Amino acid sequence: MLVAPLVTYLARVFGTQPPMLFGVAALAGGFILASFATTTWQLYLSHGALVGIGVGFTYIPSIPILSQWFEKKRSLANGITTAGSGVGGIVFSLATEKMIENISLAWSLRITGIVAFVLNTLAVALIKDRNSVIKPSQHPFDTKLLSRYEVWLLLLWSFGHRTSLRRSSWTASPPIATFPFMAGDSVAGIV
């Protein structure tokens, strides 16, 4: 989420959809280019950097939109969408595993890129924000948060987990091992 300040600024200047469309193109392009990679550095650039930038440009502008449409059941709506993304991740992982087994890694990456492009383009076409009505204040980097001790505690906690997990030889299943990273990254992206 290193692109969060830039994406927030671009969404404020150009609206929600143009940065998201750029993200869709980068995301799909990253998957498709990764299918042609022959060396590790090509994977770092295509699947690592390009897909990461695409996810950032697609995800960051969409975060506040759902809350704009709900007042009373906002938490329930956010919970349903969060659960839906988890279920979608599981289904996508299982489908990708079967594609790798039955087709090939290269074609599974290409199909993933095509499916991601089609579905995310459809989602961007259907997404509608209410920024012109509610006129939210958006700051690419809100320095006021740095004066709150809760933010510092959470950032220090996240940093401590990152450094301790790097130094240890302990291994765990990915969901358990990455939970501190996800919690810390989301706050770092907000700050």
Side-chain angles (χ1 to χ4, degrees):
M1 293 299 145
L2 292 175
V3 296
L6 174 65
V7 175
T8 303
Y9 174 76
L10 292 174
R12 180 72 168 181
V13 172
F14 298 110
T16 303
Q17 290 178 326
M20 291 181 77
L21 288 173
F22 174 79
V24 169
L27 178 69
F31 278 117
I32 292 170
L33 288 174
S35 73
F36 296 105
T38 57
T39 61
T40 306
W41 70 267
Q42 292 171 340
L43 277 176
Y44 284 146
L45 288 178
S46 61
H47 197 267
L50 204 54
V51 169
I53 289 169
V55 168
F57 270 79
T58 306
Y59 177 67
I60 296 295
S62 70
I63 293 171
I65 291 178
L66 187 65
S67 298
Q68 295 175 356
W69 291 97
F70 292 90
E71 285 187 32
K72 294 182 181 179
K73 303 281 186 178
R74 188 175 294 170
S75 296
L76 178 64
N78 282 321
I80 290 170
T81 58
T82 302
S85 67
V87 170
I90 290 171
V91 169
F92 223 78
S93 295
L94 295 173
T96 303
E97 180 182 11
K98 291 298 179 189
M99 284 189 291
I100 292 170
E101 289 173 3
N102 296 321
I103 305 171
S104 71
L105 175 62
W107 272 103
S108 67
L109 286 169
R110 291 176 194 134
I111 292 168
T112 299
I114 293 166
V115 169
F117 181 79
V118 170
L119 294 179
N120 284 318
T121 302
L122 179 64
V124 171
L126 296 175
I127 201 166
K128 182 174 168 82
D129 64 36
R130 297 183 64 215
N131 289 337
S132 61
V133 176
I134 61 174
K135 298 187 185 343
S137 62
Q138 296 177 355
H139 306 285
F141 189 82
D142 191 0
T143 56
K144 293 178 200 167
L145 289 175
L146 294 176
S147 65
R148 296 177 56 183
Y149 77 94
E150 300 96 344
V151 172
W152 281 103
L153 287 175
L154 195 54
L155 289 173
L156 289 172
W157 173 79
S158 172
F159 179 74
H161 276 287
R162 285 175 187 252
T163 55
S164 68
L165 285 176
R166 280 190 196 134
R167 289 185 205 144
S168 92
S169 59
W170 175 79
T171 58
S173 63
I176 294 170
T178 58
F179 175 73
F181 300 126
M182 293 186 302
D185 284 347
S186 62
V187 172
I190 293 170
V191 174

